[in-house]
Amino acid sequence: MKFQSSRIAVAVGLALSTLFVSAEETPDSWYEEGAAIVKHNAKVAAGAKRNAHKRAKNIILFVGDGMGVSTVTAARILEGQMKGMSGEENALFFEKFANLALSKTYNTNQQTPDSAGTMTAMMSGIKSDAGVIGVNQNVVRGDCDSQKGNEVVTALELAEMGGMSTGVVTTARLTHATPAATYAHIMDRNFEDDRDASKFSNPGDCVDIARQLVEFPQRFAQQYPWVDGLEVAMGGGRRSFIQRVDGADPEDGGRGERLDGRDLTSEWTADYNNAAYVWNQAQFDAIDPARTDHLLGLFEMSHMEYNMDRPTDSGGEPSLSDMTDKAIKILEKNRKGFFLHVESGRIDHAHHATNPKRALTDAIEFANAVKTAYEATDPEETLIIVTADHSHVFTMAGYPTRGNPILGKVVGNDSAGNAKSSEQLAADGMPYTTLGYTNGRGFYELPGQNTADAIYGQPVNPQGRANLTQVDTTDEGFHSETGVPLGAETHAGEDVAIYATGPGSSLVNGLMEQNAIFHVMNQAGHLQDRAGHGPRRQFGEDE
Amino acid sequence: MHGFRCLKIVAVLVMALPSSYLNADMLARYQLQRVDISSPTAVSAAAADQREWLVWKYGNRVQLQQQGAAYSVVWIRMKNGSLERKEVYPSFKTVVSYEPGDAAALGLADSWEGSAALFDGAILKSLEKKSSNQLGGYEGMLYEGTLHGRRYRVLWQPAKKLPAVIHIRSARSEERISLIESFDSAKDGGYIQPDTGDTYDDLDYADIGDNETHPLVQALHRTGRHSPYYPNH
């Protein structure tokens, strides 16, 4: 099969790299495209020194939870194929950023990391243990006494101290590990509300994560009285903010989780001027950023919907792009600039469920949100960093022909290099998919089949292989085959990519420890200087 | 599929679980028998997977306990019509909750009607109503038809709003779900309802993958079974 070829080289200054939109491919076009990439990179390199010293007024940190390199590649191909392209030549928006590095993600106590330790590293410049948030590795997980004096200072906190506006946007619960690591300090990631205290050996007087969000200014009142708390906090996780009484939830009449009798949503609107709390699409749409200074959005009791499931959500909820746009419109009112963290939290969840379609469509929406942010801000004054906290055991394998549906079964090439007319068969005589997982729950049947298991849940399939001949593997309910049978698929330990654009983005280069991401933001945004915080790394240190 | 070929469960109901003493409106007991017919050798005595279900229906809740399973399933119809699915693990004092998107992603496309009636109403409507009113020794409304490559025969009892018999035959297996007994008042059945888990710790299904140190998650990994999970196997 010959691909229509030609390429459209799109470069916006030095901010974005070359984008190839293939229309007609020839040997000459490949050569010229390759040369154009290097020529562009030479310009980026020439400007790198100047870029490294430019100050970023605004900083946006995008984290695709669990978005390893294989996820980016597969999402790139799926997005291209959804546009009618072959797919491989496509690029997600953030892949056009000029600066790229690899991030070593391990935790201080784990080869393959979790989100709590990795986001703590990115936000504070200090790697930490798995499972702990905003504290260093000296803390014993679950032991409140060990937390005292080991809280680390985050980039968001420095931004607040420096008078900047701050925001967090996520599709996971706002109290989930990644977003929580921007504003909270806690000895266990699962301490999301006061009802969780019973889970720990020594909850002591440690404050749950939801309370830490709402009480944020109180922690700084004495030394930094101008700290006014987050201007924007949007995501899921309503249950940790409302009481555990019937009828507490406005959407379905259910109960929240709080046992302390507090309704943190009403406290949010009471504590701030021009504050609003929203929990559905209509309320979100009605928010006027010009007249709203503090916005709390809690669109689900737990995590928000996967992007492909949003249309069926009962209350309606905004997309990650919509939330990002609204957040920026509120934050940009501050002339001192802003810090914003945006997380696509459910790429990770879909991978854990070995459901590639939901993982990839969420990754595509994540890329859309990056594009929204780039277009809504001045690229000369806004540093945008896009990365992942960790990877997943998600693989892209076999020898599918060019343009083979990325969610489909492998159709290989014949000896002449042309696509075969039938699916490739393995040694067991059965077809196989391009995408798969090295561990997890394994393939099982699709929705629409009323069986006993559909009523009672799906067991892990320990057999690994299944005959997929009659199975539509591109269906949203398809769950990939896996190697090692586990109750849930696991994270992976290999490096993830960091993409960056804007002032200071050239500091993202080479093989970096994950905690260096904080130092890029700190240096580009002059965060410690603006905060008057000096070189202190932890709250417990003396001035 | 799923290794049920070698699964034979002795029909002993485990009723030692603590009860939440909720007022259950009705109770039904079913027997499921599934046979692997994918190959001639599979159809043998060892190929049958036989179990029993106890189902409590009360108010806006349905709770299903499978014999020998380490957990029960609870469906709760919320005020806005949405459906919550929870799995209650008494031995771990933990409830695993499924958000709608997670249930959909897992192919657990529950509906209240389907959960309360143990059969998807949409499928029932797509089947042809037959003139016969008997199946497997029961009386009711008989429906038949083929969907998604499966041959269905369902004997529906309108008064109870429950199926008396469900036969599902595919190329690989044959399932027979039969009502053994039912009670209009659950307490008349004499079975102790399993705990509903209202006081247990909550764990989202979506969070299982990020809670590898949780005792329940470790057990699920170790056994290689998420559902049904048999602690003694």
Side-chain angles (χ1 to χ4, degrees), chain A residues 173 176 190 195 239 244 251-252 257 302-303 346 348 352 444-445 448-450 452-453 456 459-460 479 487 491, chain B residues 2 64 71 79-80 102 105-106 120 123 148 150 168 172 175 198 200 202 204 206-207 209-211 221 224 226-227:
Chain A
R173 292 190 298 271
H176 208 235
N190 292 317
R195 185 167 177 259
R239 68 189 187 195
R244 191 166 177 80
E251 183 173 12
D252 63 19
E257 292 287 306
S302 184
H303 304 297
R346 308 220 62 193
D348 175 71
H352 281 306
Y444 51 89
E445 297 282 9
Q449 301 176 345
N450 195 311
D453 279 337
Y456 205 61
V460 167
H479 295 76
H491 298 172
Chain B
H2 312 326
L64 186 152
Y71 69 93
K79 286 182 178 173
N80 66 346
D102 297 318
L106 290 166
D120 190 335
I123 293 180
H148 301 302
R150 285 175 157 78
I168 307 173
R172 287 176 293 193
E175 291 181 2
D198 288 355
Y200 292 175
D202 288 322
D204 264 30
D207 293 324
D210 290 322
N211 277 280
H221 281 327
H226 173 54
S227 168

Short mmCIF file of all heavy atoms in Angstrom, two decimals, chain A residues 173 176 190 195 239 244 251-252 257 302-303 346 348 352 444-445 448-450 452-453 456 459-460 479 487 491, chain B residues 2 64 71 79-80 102 105-106 120 123 148 150 168 172 175 198 200 202 204 206-207 209-211 221 224 226-227:
data_model
loop_
_atom_site.label_atom_id
_atom_site.label_comp_id
_atom_site.label_asym_id
_atom_site.label_seq_id
_atom_site.Cartn_x
_atom_site.Cartn_y
_atom_site.Cartn_z
N ARG A 173 -10.38 12.20 41.50
CA ARG A 173 -10.83 12.94 42.68
C ARG A 173 -9.82 14.04 42.98
O ARG A 173 -8.60 13.82 42.88
CB ARG A 173 -10.94 11.99 43.88
CG ARG A 173 -12.06 10.96 43.76
CD ARG A 173 -12.28 10.22 45.09
NE ARG A 173 -11.13 9.47 45.52
CZ ARG A 173 -10.87 8.20 45.19
NH1 ARG A 173 -11.71 7.55 44.41
NH2 ARG A 173 -9.79 7.59 45.64
N HIS A 176 -7.24 12.85 45.20
CA HIS A 176 -6.43 11.71 44.76
C HIS A 176 -4.95 12.11 44.78
O HIS A 176 -4.60 13.28 44.84
CB HIS A 176 -6.86 11.31 43.35
CG HIS A 176 -6.65 9.85 43.06
ND1 HIS A 176 -5.93 9.42 41.97
CD2 HIS A 176 -7.07 8.74 43.69
CE1 HIS A 176 -5.92 8.09 41.96
NE2 HIS A 176 -6.59 7.66 42.99
N ASN A 190 -4.28 7.63 51.07
CA ASN A 190 -5.68 7.25 51.24
C ASN A 190 -6.40 8.02 52.34
O ASN A 190 -7.57 7.75 52.62
CB ASN A 190 -5.77 5.75 51.51
CG ASN A 190 -5.38 4.93 50.29
OD1 ASN A 190 -5.78 5.26 49.17
ND2 ASN A 190 -4.58 3.90 50.48
N ARG A 195 -13.21 10.20 57.55
CA ARG A 195 -13.66 8.81 57.75
C ARG A 195 -12.53 7.82 57.47
O ARG A 195 -12.56 6.68 57.96
CB ARG A 195 -14.85 8.52 56.85
CG ARG A 195 -15.45 7.15 57.06
CD ARG A 195 -16.81 6.98 56.41
NE ARG A 195 -17.29 5.62 56.60
CZ ARG A 195 -17.23 4.67 55.66
NH1 ARG A 195 -16.75 4.94 54.47
NH2 ARG A 195 -17.68 3.45 55.91
N ARG A 239 -17.50 13.30 47.46
CA ARG A 239 -17.86 12.58 48.69
C ARG A 239 -16.99 12.95 49.88
O ARG A 239 -17.43 12.86 51.01
CB ARG A 239 -17.78 11.08 48.43
CG ARG A 239 -16.37 10.56 48.20
CD ARG A 239 -16.38 9.11 47.75
NE ARG A 239 -15.03 8.56 47.70
CZ ARG A 239 -14.73 7.43 47.07
NH1 ARG A 239 -15.68 6.76 46.43
NH2 ARG A 239 -13.49 6.98 47.05
N ARG A 244 -21.62 12.49 55.79
CA ARG A 244 -22.08 11.12 55.63
C ARG A 244 -23.50 11.00 56.20
O ARG A 244 -23.74 10.33 57.23
CB ARG A 244 -21.12 10.15 56.32
CG ARG A 244 -21.40 8.69 55.97
CD ARG A 244 -20.28 7.79 56.37
NE ARG A 244 -20.58 6.39 56.09
CZ ARG A 244 -20.47 5.81 54.90
NH1 ARG A 244 -20.06 6.52 53.87
NH2 ARG A 244 -20.76 4.54 54.73
N GLU A 251 -26.70 15.35 43.75
CA GLU A 251 -26.97 14.71 42.47
C GLU A 251 -27.83 13.46 42.61
O GLU A 251 -28.83 13.31 41.92
CB GLU A 251 -25.66 14.37 41.75
CG GLU A 251 -25.89 13.77 40.37
CD GLU A 251 -24.60 13.59 39.59
OE1 GLU A 251 -23.52 13.72 40.19
OE2 GLU A 251 -24.69 13.34 38.37
N ASP A 252 -27.42 12.57 43.50
CA ASP A 252 -28.16 11.31 43.58
C ASP A 252 -28.77 11.05 44.96
O ASP A 252 -29.34 9.98 45.20
CB ASP A 252 -27.29 10.13 43.17
CG ASP A 252 -26.08 9.93 44.08
OD1 ASP A 252 -26.09 10.44 45.21
OD2 ASP A 252 -25.13 9.25 43.66
N GLU A 257 -18.76 11.30 52.78
CA GLU A 257 -17.87 10.53 53.65
C GLU A 257 -17.55 11.23 54.97
O GLU A 257 -17.05 10.62 55.89
CB GLU A 257 -16.55 10.25 52.91
CG GLU A 257 -16.69 9.30 51.75
CD GLU A 257 -16.92 7.86 52.18
OE1 GLU A 257 -16.11 7.35 52.96
OE2 GLU A 257 -17.92 7.27 51.75
N SER A 302 -16.98 10.33 43.14
CA SER A 302 -15.61 9.79 43.09
C SER A 302 -14.92 10.40 41.87
O SER A 302 -15.01 11.60 41.64
CB SER A 302 -15.64 8.27 43.04
OG SER A 302 -14.32 7.76 43.09
N HIS A 303 -14.25 9.59 41.08
CA HIS A 303 -13.58 10.12 39.89
C HIS A 303 -14.60 10.59 38.87
O HIS A 303 -15.74 10.12 38.83
CB HIS A 303 -12.71 9.03 39.26
CG HIS A 303 -11.70 8.44 40.20
ND1 HIS A 303 -10.68 9.17 40.76
CD2 HIS A 303 -11.57 7.18 40.70
CE1 HIS A 303 -9.95 8.39 41.55
NE2 HIS A 303 -10.49 7.18 41.54
N ARG A 346 -7.47 9.50 34.55
CA ARG A 346 -8.11 8.21 34.32
C ARG A 346 -7.45 7.39 33.22
O ARG A 346 -7.90 6.27 32.94
CB ARG A 346 -9.59 8.41 34.06
CG ARG A 346 -10.26 9.26 35.16
CD ARG A 346 -11.60 8.75 35.53
NE ARG A 346 -11.55 7.40 36.08
CZ ARG A 346 -12.60 6.64 36.27
NH1 ARG A 346 -13.79 7.09 35.94
NH2 ARG A 346 -12.49 5.42 36.76
N ASP A 348 -4.68 6.22 33.71
CA ASP A 348 -4.17 5.22 34.65
C ASP A 348 -5.23 4.17 34.99
O ASP A 348 -4.96 2.96 34.96
CB ASP A 348 -3.71 5.95 35.92
CG ASP A 348 -3.26 5.02 37.03
OD1 ASP A 348 -2.19 4.41 36.88
OD2 ASP A 348 -3.98 4.91 38.03
N HIS A 352 -5.27 0.13 34.30
CA HIS A 352 -5.40 -0.87 35.36
C HIS A 352 -6.49 -1.89 35.02
O HIS A 352 -6.42 -3.05 35.41
CB HIS A 352 -5.73 -0.21 36.70
CG HIS A 352 -4.55 0.41 37.39
ND1 HIS A 352 -3.40 -0.30 37.65
CD2 HIS A 352 -4.34 1.65 37.88
CE1 HIS A 352 -2.53 0.49 38.29
NE2 HIS A 352 -3.08 1.68 38.43
N TYR A 444 -11.70 -10.89 28.66
CA TYR A 444 -12.97 -11.52 28.96
C TYR A 444 -14.06 -10.92 28.10
O TYR A 444 -13.83 -9.97 27.37
CB TYR A 444 -13.32 -11.47 30.43
CG TYR A 444 -13.25 -10.12 31.08
CD1 TYR A 444 -14.33 -9.27 31.09
CD2 TYR A 444 -12.07 -9.72 31.70
CE1 TYR A 444 -14.24 -8.05 31.70
CE2 TYR A 444 -11.99 -8.49 32.32
CZ TYR A 444 -13.08 -7.65 32.32
OH TYR A 444 -13.00 -6.44 32.94
N GLU A 445 -15.23 -11.49 28.22
CA GLU A 445 -16.30 -11.18 27.27
C GLU A 445 -16.76 -9.74 27.35
O GLU A 445 -16.49 -9.01 28.29
CB GLU A 445 -17.48 -12.13 27.51
CG GLU A 445 -17.13 -13.57 27.26
CD GLU A 445 -17.12 -13.91 25.79
OE1 GLU A 445 -17.20 -13.01 24.95
OE2 GLU A 445 -17.00 -15.10 25.49
N GLY A 448 -23.28 -6.54 26.75
CA GLY A 448 -24.37 -6.95 25.88
C GLY A 448 -24.61 -8.43 25.93
O GLY A 448 -25.35 -8.99 25.14
N GLN A 449 -23.96 -9.09 26.86
CA GLN A 449 -24.13 -10.53 26.96
C GLN A 449 -24.58 -10.86 28.37
O GLN A 449 -23.80 -10.81 29.30
CB GLN A 449 -22.82 -11.25 26.63
CG GLN A 449 -22.34 -10.93 25.24
CD GLN A 449 -21.01 -11.55 24.95
OE1 GLN A 449 -20.32 -12.00 25.85
NE2 GLN A 449 -20.64 -11.57 23.70
N ASN A 450 -25.84 -11.16 28.50
CA ASN A 450 -26.38 -11.43 29.82
C ASN A 450 -26.03 -12.85 30.23
O ASN A 450 -26.65 -13.81 29.82
CB ASN A 450 -27.90 -11.24 29.79
CG ASN A 450 -28.45 -11.16 31.19
OD1 ASN A 450 -28.15 -11.99 32.03
ND2 ASN A 450 -29.22 -10.13 31.44
N ALA A 452 -24.25 -15.29 33.63
CA ALA A 452 -24.09 -15.28 35.08
C ALA A 452 -22.94 -14.38 35.49
O ALA A 452 -23.01 -13.66 36.47
CB ALA A 452 -23.85 -16.71 35.57
N ASP A 453 -21.87 -14.39 34.73
CA ASP A 453 -20.73 -13.56 35.09
C ASP A 453 -21.04 -12.08 34.93
O ASP A 453 -20.50 -11.24 35.64
CB ASP A 453 -19.51 -13.92 34.24
CG ASP A 453 -18.80 -15.14 34.79
OD1 ASP A 453 -18.96 -15.42 35.98
OD2 ASP A 453 -18.10 -15.81 34.02
N TYR A 456 -22.56 -11.21 38.06
CA TYR A 456 -21.75 -11.39 39.26
C TYR A 456 -20.30 -10.96 39.10
O TYR A 456 -19.48 -11.22 39.94
CB TYR A 456 -21.82 -12.86 39.71
CG TYR A 456 -21.55 -13.02 41.17
CD1 TYR A 456 -22.37 -12.42 42.10
CD2 TYR A 456 -20.47 -13.73 41.62
CE1 TYR A 456 -22.14 -12.54 43.44
CE2 TYR A 456 -20.21 -13.88 42.97
CZ TYR A 456 -21.05 -13.28 43.88
OH TYR A 456 -20.81 -13.41 45.21
N PRO A 459 -14.30 -12.76 36.37
CA PRO A 459 -13.09 -13.27 37.02
C PRO A 459 -11.85 -12.94 36.21
O PRO A 459 -11.94 -12.69 35.01
CB PRO A 459 -13.32 -14.78 37.05
CG PRO A 459 -14.17 -15.03 35.85
CD PRO A 459 -15.03 -13.82 35.69
N VAL A 460 -10.74 -12.94 36.88
CA VAL A 460 -9.48 -12.87 36.15
C VAL A 460 -9.36 -14.09 35.27
O VAL A 460 -9.72 -15.20 35.66
CB VAL A 460 -8.31 -12.82 37.15
CG1 VAL A 460 -6.98 -13.06 36.45
CG2 VAL A 460 -8.29 -11.49 37.88
N HIS A 479 -11.27 -5.95 26.61
CA HIS A 479 -10.18 -5.98 27.58
C HIS A 479 -9.09 -6.88 27.04
O HIS A 479 -9.33 -8.06 26.76
CB HIS A 479 -10.68 -6.46 28.93
CG HIS A 479 -11.66 -5.54 29.54
ND1 HIS A 479 -12.97 -5.46 29.11
CD2 HIS A 479 -11.55 -4.60 30.51
CE1 HIS A 479 -13.60 -4.53 29.80
NE2 HIS A 479 -12.76 -4.00 30.66
N GLY A 487 -5.15 -9.32 39.71
CA GLY A 487 -6.45 -8.68 39.92
C GLY A 487 -6.55 -7.34 39.21
O GLY A 487 -7.63 -6.90 38.85
N HIS A 491 1.50 -0.67 37.33
CA HIS A 491 2.38 0.36 36.77
C HIS A 491 3.63 -0.30 36.20
O HIS A 491 3.92 -1.46 36.48
CB HIS A 491 2.81 1.35 37.85
CG HIS A 491 1.67 2.11 38.46
ND1 HIS A 491 1.81 2.93 39.54
CD2 HIS A 491 0.35 2.17 38.12
CE1 HIS A 491 0.65 3.47 39.86
NE2 HIS A 491 -0.26 3.01 39.01
N HIS B 2 -12.52 -18.86 31.69
CA HIS B 2 -12.56 -18.58 33.10
C HIS B 2 -12.26 -19.79 33.98
O HIS B 2 -12.46 -19.73 35.18
CB HIS B 2 -13.93 -18.03 33.52
CG HIS B 2 -14.42 -16.94 32.63
ND1 HIS B 2 -13.58 -16.04 32.05
CD2 HIS B 2 -15.67 -16.61 32.21
CE1 HIS B 2 -14.29 -15.20 31.31
NE2 HIS B 2 -15.54 -15.54 31.39
N LEU B 64 -26.94 -9.76 46.46
CA LEU B 64 -26.80 -11.12 45.94
C LEU B 64 -25.58 -11.78 46.57
O LEU B 64 -24.48 -11.22 46.54
CB LEU B 64 -26.65 -11.08 44.42
CG LEU B 64 -26.64 -12.42 43.66
CD1 LEU B 64 -27.17 -12.20 42.24
CD2 LEU B 64 -25.23 -13.00 43.57
N TYR B 71 -17.59 -12.56 48.94
CA TYR B 71 -18.27 -11.26 48.99
C TYR B 71 -19.65 -11.38 48.38
O TYR B 71 -19.98 -12.31 47.67
CB TYR B 71 -17.46 -10.21 48.24
CG TYR B 71 -17.43 -10.39 46.74
CD1 TYR B 71 -18.37 -9.74 45.93
CD2 TYR B 71 -16.49 -11.19 46.13
CE1 TYR B 71 -18.35 -9.89 44.56
CE2 TYR B 71 -16.46 -11.35 44.76
CZ TYR B 71 -17.39 -10.70 43.98
OH TYR B 71 -17.38 -10.86 42.63
N LYS B 79 -31.55 8.28 44.05
CA LYS B 79 -32.74 9.10 43.84
C LYS B 79 -32.83 9.64 42.41
O LYS B 79 -33.91 9.90 41.92
CB LYS B 79 -32.76 10.25 44.84
CG LYS B 79 -33.12 9.80 46.25
CD LYS B 79 -33.19 10.95 47.22
CE LYS B 79 -33.60 10.46 48.61
NZ LYS B 79 -33.52 11.52 49.63
N ASN B 80 -31.70 9.81 41.77
CA ASN B 80 -31.73 10.33 40.40
C ASN B 80 -31.82 9.19 39.37
O ASN B 80 -31.66 9.41 38.18
CB ASN B 80 -30.52 11.21 40.12
CG ASN B 80 -29.22 10.42 40.13
OD1 ASN B 80 -29.19 9.28 40.60
ND2 ASN B 80 -28.14 11.02 39.64
N ASP B 102 -16.76 2.86 35.47
CA ASP B 102 -15.96 1.66 35.73
C ASP B 102 -16.76 0.40 35.41
O ASP B 102 -16.25 -0.55 34.84
CB ASP B 102 -15.50 1.63 37.18
CG ASP B 102 -14.59 2.79 37.50
OD1 ASP B 102 -13.73 3.12 36.67
OD2 ASP B 102 -14.77 3.39 38.57
N ALA B 105 -16.85 0.10 31.75
CA ALA B 105 -15.55 -0.32 31.21
C ALA B 105 -15.31 -1.80 31.43
O ALA B 105 -14.57 -2.43 30.67
CB ALA B 105 -14.43 0.49 31.86
N LEU B 106 -15.94 -2.34 32.46
CA LEU B 106 -15.74 -3.75 32.79
C LEU B 106 -16.80 -4.65 32.16
O LEU B 106 -16.79 -5.86 32.36
CB LEU B 106 -15.76 -3.94 34.31
CG LEU B 106 -14.55 -3.36 35.02
CD1 LEU B 106 -14.80 -3.27 36.51
CD2 LEU B 106 -13.33 -4.19 34.73
N ASP B 120 -31.64 -8.82 32.33
CA ASP B 120 -31.71 -7.54 31.64
C ASP B 120 -33.06 -7.40 30.91
O ASP B 120 -33.36 -8.17 30.00
CB ASP B 120 -30.56 -7.45 30.64
CG ASP B 120 -30.43 -6.06 30.04
OD1 ASP B 120 -31.44 -5.33 30.01
OD2 ASP B 120 -29.31 -5.71 29.61
N ILE B 123 -33.01 -7.19 27.10
CA ILE B 123 -32.88 -8.47 26.40
C ILE B 123 -34.23 -9.19 26.40
O ILE B 123 -34.66 -9.75 25.38
CB ILE B 123 -31.79 -9.35 27.05
CG1 ILE B 123 -30.41 -8.69 26.85
CG2 ILE B 123 -31.80 -10.76 26.47
CD1 ILE B 123 -29.27 -9.47 27.45
N HIS B 148 -26.70 -11.83 20.23
CA HIS B 148 -25.25 -11.90 20.39
C HIS B 148 -24.74 -13.34 20.35
O HIS B 148 -23.85 -13.74 21.11
CB HIS B 148 -24.82 -11.27 21.72
CG HIS B 148 -25.20 -9.83 21.87
ND1 HIS B 148 -24.80 -8.86 20.99
CD2 HIS B 148 -25.97 -9.20 22.78
CE1 HIS B 148 -25.28 -7.69 21.38
NE2 HIS B 148 -26.01 -7.87 22.45
N ARG B 150 -26.21 -15.95 21.27
CA ARG B 150 -26.68 -16.77 22.39
C ARG B 150 -28.16 -17.07 22.22
O ARG B 150 -28.95 -16.18 21.88
CB ARG B 150 -26.46 -16.04 23.72
CG ARG B 150 -25.02 -16.04 24.17
CD ARG B 150 -24.89 -15.19 25.43
NE ARG B 150 -23.72 -15.57 26.17
CZ ARG B 150 -22.50 -15.21 25.84
NH1 ARG B 150 -22.30 -14.46 24.77
NH2 ARG B 150 -21.46 -15.61 26.56
N ILE B 168 -29.42 -20.14 28.81
CA ILE B 168 -28.61 -19.42 27.84
C ILE B 168 -27.62 -20.41 27.23
O ILE B 168 -26.82 -21.02 27.96
CB ILE B 168 -27.83 -18.25 28.50
CG1 ILE B 168 -28.78 -17.34 29.28
CG2 ILE B 168 -27.07 -17.46 27.43
CD1 ILE B 168 -28.06 -16.27 30.08
N ARG B 172 -20.09 -22.20 23.30
CA ARG B 172 -19.12 -22.72 24.25
C ARG B 172 -19.72 -23.25 25.54
O ARG B 172 -19.11 -24.05 26.24
CB ARG B 172 -18.09 -21.63 24.58
CG ARG B 172 -17.13 -21.37 23.46
CD ARG B 172 -16.21 -20.23 23.80
NE ARG B 172 -16.93 -18.95 23.88
CZ ARG B 172 -16.34 -17.79 23.91
NH1 ARG B 172 -15.04 -17.70 23.89
NH2 ARG B 172 -17.05 -16.67 23.97
N GLU B 175 -25.92 -22.38 30.17
CA GLU B 175 -26.22 -21.97 31.54
C GLU B 175 -27.69 -22.23 31.83
O GLU B 175 -28.55 -21.95 30.99
CB GLU B 175 -25.95 -20.48 31.74
CG GLU B 175 -24.49 -20.08 31.71
CD GLU B 175 -24.32 -18.58 31.93
OE1 GLU B 175 -25.32 -17.88 32.14
OE2 GLU B 175 -23.18 -18.12 31.88
N ASP B 198 -22.09 -1.09 55.17
CA ASP B 198 -22.24 0.36 55.33
C ASP B 198 -21.18 0.97 56.24
O ASP B 198 -20.88 2.16 56.13
CB ASP B 198 -23.64 0.69 55.87
CG ASP B 198 -24.70 0.48 54.80
OD1 ASP B 198 -24.32 0.18 53.65
OD2 ASP B 198 -25.89 0.61 55.12
N TYR B 200 -18.09 -0.31 56.49
CA TYR B 200 -16.75 -0.74 56.05
C TYR B 200 -16.00 0.39 55.35
O TYR B 200 -16.58 1.39 54.95
CB TYR B 200 -16.87 -1.91 55.05
CG TYR B 200 -17.37 -3.21 55.62
CD1 TYR B 200 -17.62 -4.29 54.79
CD2 TYR B 200 -17.60 -3.36 56.99
CE1 TYR B 200 -18.08 -5.49 55.29
CE2 TYR B 200 -18.07 -4.56 57.49
CZ TYR B 200 -18.31 -5.62 56.65
OH TYR B 200 -18.77 -6.80 57.14
N ASP B 202 -14.31 2.07 52.18
CA ASP B 202 -14.63 2.07 50.75
C ASP B 202 -13.36 2.02 49.92
O ASP B 202 -12.36 2.65 50.25
CB ASP B 202 -15.40 3.34 50.37
CG ASP B 202 -16.82 3.31 50.92
OD1 ASP B 202 -17.42 2.23 50.91
OD2 ASP B 202 -17.30 4.37 51.37
N ASP B 204 -12.65 2.30 45.75
CA ASP B 204 -13.17 2.35 44.38
C ASP B 204 -12.53 1.24 43.55
O ASP B 204 -11.33 0.98 43.69
CB ASP B 204 -12.80 3.68 43.74
CG ASP B 204 -13.93 4.67 43.87
OD1 ASP B 204 -14.67 4.57 44.85
OD2 ASP B 204 -14.07 5.53 42.98
N ALA B 206 -11.73 1.59 40.61
CA ALA B 206 -10.68 2.28 39.84
C ALA B 206 -9.40 2.44 40.64
O ALA B 206 -8.34 2.65 40.07
CB ALA B 206 -11.19 3.65 39.37
N ASP B 207 -9.51 2.37 41.95
CA ASP B 207 -8.34 2.59 42.80
C ASP B 207 -7.63 1.29 43.19
O ASP B 207 -6.61 1.33 43.87
CB ASP B 207 -8.74 3.35 44.07
CG ASP B 207 -9.19 4.77 43.74
OD1 ASP B 207 -8.62 5.38 42.83
OD2 ASP B 207 -10.13 5.25 44.40
N GLY B 209 -5.93 -0.70 41.39
CA GLY B 209 -4.59 -0.76 40.80
C GLY B 209 -3.56 0.09 41.51
O GLY B 209 -2.36 -0.15 41.38
N ASP B 210 -4.02 1.10 42.25
CA ASP B 210 -3.10 1.99 42.96
C ASP B 210 -3.01 1.66 44.44
O ASP B 210 -2.46 2.43 45.21
CB ASP B 210 -3.54 3.45 42.79
CG ASP B 210 -3.34 3.93 41.37
OD1 ASP B 210 -2.33 3.55 40.75
OD2 ASP B 210 -4.19 4.70 40.87
N ASN B 211 -3.59 0.55 44.84
CA ASN B 211 -3.58 0.18 46.25
C ASN B 211 -3.01 -1.21 46.43
O ASN B 211 -3.64 -2.08 47.06
CB ASN B 211 -5.01 0.26 46.82
CG ASN B 211 -5.38 1.67 47.23
OD1 ASN B 211 -4.99 2.14 48.29
ND2 ASN B 211 -6.10 2.35 46.37
N HIS B 221 -4.83 -10.26 44.07
CA HIS B 221 -3.66 -10.58 43.23
C HIS B 221 -3.20 -12.02 43.45
O HIS B 221 -2.88 -12.75 42.52
CB HIS B 221 -2.50 -9.64 43.56
CG HIS B 221 -2.61 -8.29 42.93
ND1 HIS B 221 -3.19 -8.08 41.72
CD2 HIS B 221 -2.19 -7.08 43.36
CE1 HIS B 221 -3.14 -6.79 41.40
NE2 HIS B 221 -2.54 -6.16 42.39
N GLY B 224 -5.59 -14.63 42.11
CA GLY B 224 -5.79 -14.57 40.67
C GLY B 224 -7.25 -14.53 40.30
O GLY B 224 -7.60 -14.64 39.14
N HIS B 226 -10.73 -12.25 40.78
CA HIS B 226 -11.40 -11.09 41.35
C HIS B 226 -12.83 -11.46 41.70
O HIS B 226 -13.35 -11.07 42.73
CB HIS B 226 -11.38 -9.94 40.36
CG HIS B 226 -12.19 -8.79 40.83
ND1 HIS B 226 -12.00 -8.21 42.05
CD2 HIS B 226 -13.23 -8.14 40.25
CE1 HIS B 226 -12.88 -7.23 42.21
NE2 HIS B 226 -13.63 -7.17 41.14
N SER B 227 -13.44 -12.21 40.82
CA SER B 227 -14.84 -12.51 41.05
C SER B 227 -15.23 -13.73 40.23
O SER B 227 -15.00 -13.73 39.03
CB SER B 227 -15.69 -11.33 40.61
OG SER B 227 -17.05 -11.69 40.55
#
